[in-house]
Amino acid sequence: MSAPIRIGIAGVGKIARDQHVPALQHNHRFELAACASRNASLDGVKSFDSLEAMLAGAPELHAVSLCTPPQVRYQQARAAIEAGRHVFLEKPPGVTLSEVEDLARRADQANVTLFASWHAREAAGVDRARQWLEEARVQRVDVQWREDVRTWHPGQQWIWQPGGLGVFDPGINALSIMTRILPDEFFLERARLEVPENCQAPIGAELDFTDAAGTPIHADFDWRQTGPQTWQITVETDRGTLLLEDGGSRLSVDGEQLIDGEDVEYAGLYRRFAELIGADRSEVDIRPFRHVADAFMLAERIATAPFHDQD
Amino acid sequence: MSAPIRIGIAGVGKIARDQHVPALQHNHRFELAACASRNASLDGVKSFDSLEAMLAGAPELHAVSLCTPPQVRYQQARAAIEAGRHVFLEKPPGVTLSEVEDLARRADQANVTLFASWHAREAAGVDRARQWLEEARVQRVDVQWREDVRTWHPGQQWIWQPGGLGVFDPGINALSIMTRILPDEFFLERARLEVPENCQAPIGAELDFTDAAGTPIHADFDWRQTGPQTWQITVETDRGTLLLEDGGSRLSVDGEQLIDGEDVEYAGLYRRFAELIGADRSEVDIRPFRHVADAFMLAERIATAPFHDQD
């Protein structure tokens, strides 16, 4: 058994506390040894004011996990790579495709692992769905990803600003699952974005993709759903209809339930990160983010009712 | 001397007649042997109604050049690759990044050459500019790409529709030169798009890029310039100021003219295509197109005065 990977977390906010810290505490391959945050700290680990201070002051670290907002992630990831550390990126991996590609090249040159993580891919039903679809011929795909932005992002103005991605913030989770489970590459043919007239980012998106075989692949992303929330992917095939629900944690085929799993997403991500480090490899699958960029480039934009966080 | 590469042109429109046919006629490595168009033909070569008919009816073709609109290019390129032909793509290489990446993978698997062409890179001063900048430290870049859309695209409604790219149709030429001559990768930090209130695509774009060294790289694309037209790139360096004018055909450093060239763009492209075929390689540099997608994703959009082709 090799020595644990000593890791530091940059950005001690909600996602770090809710997901990263517990996942690291339950994974014996990692030792959480430091954190960097302007105004927060974690019990029992060395705290630094900034990533740069952590890189300089904790030379024992092998890796860092960036839980900071995407706007600062490029500079931080580059600094960590230049300091010879493996890097875990929260999703989305940056604000532009070009900067993420630049990071991938730099990690490769520096011989460190860069992992652009997509947590939804680790939901309990996703891997089994991928395996099942390998044996099937896909005939139609329908994705419904509908949630209430007021519940999930209360008071967060940045999501509506340029670069904030709007409804693609949850939608990219669906895209990360679609690119994992569908056996063929697909690409956008038409898109319609609904943008509140007082915002820069979309609150709704209707996307029509296809693949080389002409398969219709439709996705609806909506941030205005009150009541029950919907995160489901339906794949009609020659072997039956596959249904992934609850963001990928429940899987059924023709109504027969195959998996109804716990939330294991971040446990899976850190297991994968350790594997990649062990194998001296990176994993930067930019496809979910590229589909988002394609949608912004190709879409018809429709102005819709102004959005106010409090009605 | 090897036998000529027999090539067919799909899409017999203005760009094919003005550029592709003359370039092919002056390049002894190629033999223009067929064309495909719904309602046009070229003297002295076999004519077909469609690319599919040409692929089936002219088995002697080694390569095809796609001069059709980007909306149909994916299907055509895929059909040509599957038929074992080398493929030349006009710019932009498609309507989404994802479909272009899919083509690159298919060409690789089929062992044919795919060439995503960027004609502006072949302008007379570009290669010398690239060489000169290899020895310099870049301190600041300013790009001014200003032309009159009414002059260059009279009556073309598609440029304003979703996927039409608007002012990025010329602007991508600047981006193709920038990605060729600047020694370091750069990426977008801020963007502002001016979109006429009756259109979907921008008429103006202000882009602020940077690179790993923090170099300020600014670009203005504007389709509202009457009078003299401006296509110039200024690069301030520790060795002096480089100026590329007239879309890359004139090059000077600190006011001293180094190159004032003819229009050699398509001659250069076909020379390159023949080299790639000979070397059994593809060249799909998606970076210019990726910067456009990044801009659409990251930009602040500002509604501006409605555009009408005829004032």
Side-chain angles (χ1 to χ4, degrees), chain A residues 111-145:
Chain A
N111 204 27
V112 299
T113 292
L114 178 66
F115 179 34
S117 74
W118 299 108
H119 65 79
R121 286 184 172 179
E122 302 294 335
V126 170
D127 205 46
R128 180 78 176 274
R130 180 185 60 73
Q131 290 164 24
W132 191 87
L133 287 168
E134 277 176 0
E135 312 293 320
R137 197 164 59 77
V138 175
Q139 291 163 335
R140 176 179 297 274
V141 180
D142 181 75
V143 178
Q144 298 292 326
W145 221 255

Side-chain angles (χ1 to χ4, degrees), chain A residues 5 62-65 80 84-88 111-113 273 277 280:
Chain A
I5 300 160
H62 303 107
V64 298
S65 207
R85 268 50 171 244
H86 307 296
V87 177
F88 178 115
N111 204 27
V112 299
T113 292
F273 189 38
I277 292 171
D280 207 7

Side-chain angles (χ1 to χ4, degrees), chain B residues 139-277:
Chain B
Q139 293 163 334
R140 176 179 298 275
V141 180
D142 180 76
V143 178
Q144 299 292 327
W145 221 256
R146 299 173 174 278
E147 60 176 50
D148 185 352
V149 63
R150 291 187 175 87
T151 300
W152 303 99
H153 295 277
Q156 293 180 18
Q157 282 309 304
W158 64 269
I159 55 177
W160 300 110
Q161 288 162 7
L165 299 190
V167 75
F168 286 99
D169 179 82
I172 204 169
N173 297 331
L175 289 164
S176 76
I177 297 176
M178 293 161 69
T179 45
R180 170 60 61 90
I181 67 172
L182 294 177
D184 293 313
E185 296 298 320
F186 56 90
F187 29 84
L188 197 63
E189 290 200 306
R190 267 176 308 280
R192 204 175 87 125
L193 304 185
E194 290 179 89
V195 184
E197 55 188 40
N198 61 337
C199 298
Q200 284 284 336
I203 197 166
E206 275 189 57
L207 309 171
D208 286 295
F209 302 89
T210 193
D211 59 17
T215 310
I217 300 173
H218 181 79
D220 283 333
F221 301 156
D222 204 307
W223 245 354
R224 291 163 296 197
Q225 174 138 316
T226 54
Q229 308 281 284
T230 308
W231 300 285
Q232 72 177 35
I233 297 175
T234 308
V235 187
E236 296 174 24
T237 81
D238 60 340
R239 289 180 61 205
T241 297
L242 177 146
L243 178 61
L244 264 177
E245 293 174 283
D246 291 353
S249 62
R250 278 201 293 155
L251 173 68
S252 61
V253 171
D254 289 338
E256 186 195 347
Q257 190 144 297
L258 300 183
I259 288 176
D260 185 2
E262 302 281 306
D263 175 357
V264 293
E265 297 188 2
Y266 282 78
L269 288 182
Y270 277 101
R271 202 161 49 234
R272 182 80 187 129
F273 189 38
E275 280 171 14
L276 290 167
I277 292 171

